[in-house]
Structures are given as structure tokens and as C-alpha cells.
Amino acid sequence: MPPRPHLRPGPVEPKATAPVPIPPSRAVVDCAVYVDGHRLPGMRTFSGALKEVRTTGQGYVWVGLHAPENRQMEGVAEAFGLHELVVEDAVLAHQRPKLEQYDNILFLVLKTVKYVEHETLQVANEVVETGEIMVISGLDFVITVRHGDHTGLAGVRKHLESRPEQLALGPSAVMHAVADHVVDTYIDVTARVELDVDAVELNVFSPGRRVDIEPVYLLKREVMELRRAVAPLDLALRRLTGSEDKLVPKEVRRYFRDVQDHHSSVNERITTYDEVLTSLIDAALAKVGIQQNTDMRKISAWVAIASVPTMVAGIYGMNFEHMPELTWKYSYYVILVCLVGVCTALWRTFRRNHWL
């Protein structure tokens, strides 16, 4: 009987490991229960806080999230009963400011802005940095979702906790406070952008200064980005102030009218900056054209002056035997004097006509 061949074991393929689920609590910055405007002591998970509120029938939950991932947001959505479109928008971000309603839930998207410090516009890469805050408000809960490094709401929460009468108005009061905070940052950023617009205007219209048009284009681009972040919020605020829904009590709607007034003022200022920068671009291009025409006139004038000695030198540089005044001993000096005289006359003529 022939011996059996020796079989070597093949390479063992590694088993695919299932992805480790990320707990939703990792994205939670703060979670608290508020009853009659006062924060209840103790630490709670968002699911435990919601269960406590719905068991007692008092107060509401405020959960703060920062840049949640899809699985984290799905865990929150399962606990609070959020629509899948809300989950998608909250994770992906990059939404336009808007207000949407899903049954008894309001979903407000706000774009945040931050002024980027810079020495001069000539060395700046950006002037305005944007982020995003989303507020999901229900009957007994409010969830704030933040995207960006400058969108912290700890100060807003602390300020509200010092005013329990406002917190007692319900989850929509938190939505108002967040919107008011965001619009206040708009006011601060637009005031600082105005200084940049004034600096660009001074540079364009200063006499005797060459125009650098790149900062004008940079500021124009940043103002357009600021406008895209601010302007669409107007429709959402109008809906909140005009809503008769029980999710936004009458007293809170009054607060939203104040936010809308501030927002309208900011929107008008940004529109003005945009129009001013458009005019500055036109003026800068016109001034650049004038500068180029001036440079071309100067170049043409110097070329005309240089052409006189070039022409004379070219004529007397030809190898002809019979040419006038070649044998006269003073011809060299006479030609030099004539060249200097003609060139001086041309220079004075161009100077008188402001070509030089």
C-alpha cells in the first residue's frame, strides 16, 4: 500500500471581527433634568433622565451632544423617538439653516460663525470660520447637537440655569437661548468684519498707493460665506415667531421676535458689506487699469526717448564710405549735443503731458 502524501496545513485566514459599537454616551457633553426651571442634582444617562421625566410627568431633559457618529445618534434617536431624517442631518451636518417639524418635534439648524484673527488681509487665508448647531425640541426634551470647535454651549446652559423663570418655559426656551446666542455671535463677527471692509476701502481709495486686489476678493468670498450662514435663518425665525404650535408657547415667541429683530439688523449689514465690496472690486479693477495705462505711457515715453540715439547710432554704424561729416573733427561732439538736446526736449514734453 503506497504511503499517503504528507499534507501541510494551509494558512489560516483571520476571522473578521465585528466593529465595536461606540456607546452613545461618548458624544454626550452634558445631560440634566430641569423641573420648574431648576436643575435636579445628580448625574444621569439620557435614557435614565428621559424615563424619570416621563415617569414623574414633571420637567424635561436637556441633552448636549458634540459631533456624534451615526451609531451614537441612532442610540439617542431610539430613546427619544427621533425621525431617521433628523438622525441623518444631525450626523452629516453641513445643512442650511432651517426649521422642520416632525409630529411633536421641532428641528432647528443654526450655522455658527467665528472671526479668525489675522494681522492683515494680505497674509490671511480666511476671515470667517463656520460651524453648526442643531436643536431638537420635543414636549419633554431638548437635544443640542454641535459640530465645530467654536460652538460650545456651556455658557448658554450656565446663563439659563441662573434664570430659572426662563428655563421653566420649557424646551423651546432652550431653543430660543441657543438661537439668541448664535445671533449675538453674528453681531460680534459682523462688527469685526466691518473693520476689514473699512481697511480695504481705505487701501483702494488712498491716493498714490498701488491697489492689491487679492484682499478685496478674499474679503468678498468670506462675506459671501457669512451671508450664506446668516441669511437663510430668517425664514426659520419667521416661522417660530408666527407659529401657534403648542411646542412654542406664546411667551417664548415674544423672545424669538427679539432674536428676529437682531437677525434682520445683522442681515442688512452683511448685505451692505457685500454691496460695498462689489463696488470696491469695480473701483479696484478701474484703478488697476489706470495704473497699467500710466505704466504703459511711461514705458512708451522712455522708448521714444531711447529711439533717438538708437536711430542715430544705427545710421552711423553702417559701413558706408561716403557719409556726411565723417571726416570733420567736431562731428562726434556735435552729434552728442544734438542727441542730448533732442532727448531733453522729448523728456520735457512727456513730463509736461504727465507721461513721466
Side-chain angles (χ1 to χ4, degrees):
M1 185 174 183
R4 294 181 179 178
H6 181 69
L7 299 178
R8 295 182 180 180
V12 179
E13 296 183 359
K15 295 183 179 179
T17 57
V20 179
I22 303 174
S25 57
R26 291 244 186 121
V28 177
V29 178
D30 199 357
C31 177
V33 174
Y34 295 89
V35 177
D36 295 329
H38 297 278
R39 177 169 180 159
L40 299 185
M43 301 293 293
R44 297 169 176 81
T45 62
F46 61 83
S47 55
L50 183 63
K51 182 178 180 181
E52 179 180 346
V53 167
R54 291 181 174 175
T55 300
T56 61
Q58 294 181 339
Y60 60 91
V61 184
W62 181 0
V63 181
L65 305 175
H66 180 252
E69 296 183 359
N70 190 53
R71 293 180 183 177
Q72 294 172 324
M73 196 63 202
E74 285 177 353
V76 175
E78 183 179 354
F80 289 90
L82 303 181
H83 195 277
E84 59 181 355
L85 294 177
V86 174
V87 176
E88 181 180 350
D89 288 347
V91 173
L92 297 179
H94 304 295
Q95 303 292 318
R96 284 170 56 88
K98 62 181 179 179
L99 177 68
E100 294 181 348
Q101 184 168 359
Y102 299 88
D103 297 327
N104 289 326
I105 294 176
L106 288 177
F107 179 54
L108 176 65
V109 179
L110 301 160
K111 296 290 285 188
T112 60
V113 295
K114 176 187 176 183
Y115 183 82
V116 180
E117 297 289 346
H118 52 271
E119 294 182 3
T120 61
L121 287 172
Q122 282 77 7
V123 298
N125 292 323
E126 64 176 346
V127 176
V128 176
E129 179 184 337
T130 60
E132 204 162 317
I133 294 179
M134 304 169 189
V135 185
I136 308 167
S137 176
L139 294 174
D140 54 6
F141 67 88
V142 59
I143 304 170
T144 53
V145 182
R146 302 186 291 107
H147 292 271
D149 297 329
H150 63 275
T151 56
L153 294 176
V156 176
R157 187 185 287 261
K158 185 176 180 181
H159 176 70
L160 276 177
E161 289 176 353
S162 67
R163 302 180 61 184
E165 69 280 359
Q166 189 169 352
L167 270 175
L169 296 175
S172 60
V174 177
M175 178 180 286
H176 159 263
V178 174
D180 186 51
H181 167 71
V182 171
V183 172
D184 284 345
T185 60
Y186 292 167
I187 297 174
D188 178 62
V189 170
T190 50
R192 303 182 74 178
V193 168
E194 184 176 5
L195 299 177
D196 288 329
V197 174
D198 292 341
V200 168
E201 187 175 12
L202 180 64
N203 178 60
V204 170
F205 291 111
S206 293
R209 181 182 295 180
R210 298 189 68 87
V211 176
D212 187 6
I213 201 169
E214 283 79 9
V216 187
Y217 279 119
L218 169 66
L219 193 56
K220 173 73 172 178
R221 183 194 70 194
E222 296 299 300
V223 168
M224 289 179 64
E225 182 177 359
L226 182 61
R227 189 173 185 175
R228 285 194 294 267
V230 174
L233 183 59
D234 181 67
L235 180 59
L237 292 176
R238 288 180 185 275
R239 288 182 58 189
L240 285 170
T241 54
S243 172
E244 297 294 336
D245 196 283
K246 61 182 179 179
L247 293 172
V248 185
K250 183 177 180 180
E251 185 66 26
V252 178
R253 290 201 297 271
R254 292 174 180 170
Y255 285 111
F256 269 117
R257 290 192 188 99
D258 181 65
V259 176
Q260 185 184 8
D261 289 340
H262 292 166
H263 178 268
S264 298
S265 176
V266 170
N267 211 5
E268 290 173 0
R269 293 174 67 180
I270 294 174
T271 302
T272 302
Y273 299 158
D274 191 30
E275 293 173 353
V276 168
L277 287 171
T278 300
S279 301
L280 287 178
I281 289 177
D282 295 337
L285 290 174
K287 193 170 183 180
V288 168
I290 293 172
Q291 290 173 352
Q292 291 176 344
N293 290 337
T294 302
D295 293 339
M296 288 302 299
R297 286 191 301 179
K298 289 181 179 180
I299 294 171
S300 301
W302 285 116
V303 168
I305 293 172
S307 65
V308 175
T310 302
M311 181 183 64
V312 174
I315 292 174
Y316 278 88
M318 293 185 293
N319 296 320
F320 292 113
E321 182 178 355
H322 301 290
M323 294 187 68
E325 310 303 338
L326 284 180
T327 58
W328 187 36
K329 63 179 180 179
Y330 297 110
S331 59
Y332 173 74
Y333 303 103
V334 171
I335 290 175
L336 287 181
V337 171
C338 291
L339 289 178
V340 172
V342 173
C343 291
T344 302
L346 287 173
W347 181 84
R348 293 185 63 181
T349 302
F350 290 134
R351 185 76 172 179
R352 189 184 309 115
N353 294 326
H354 304 290
W355 280 45
L356 290 175

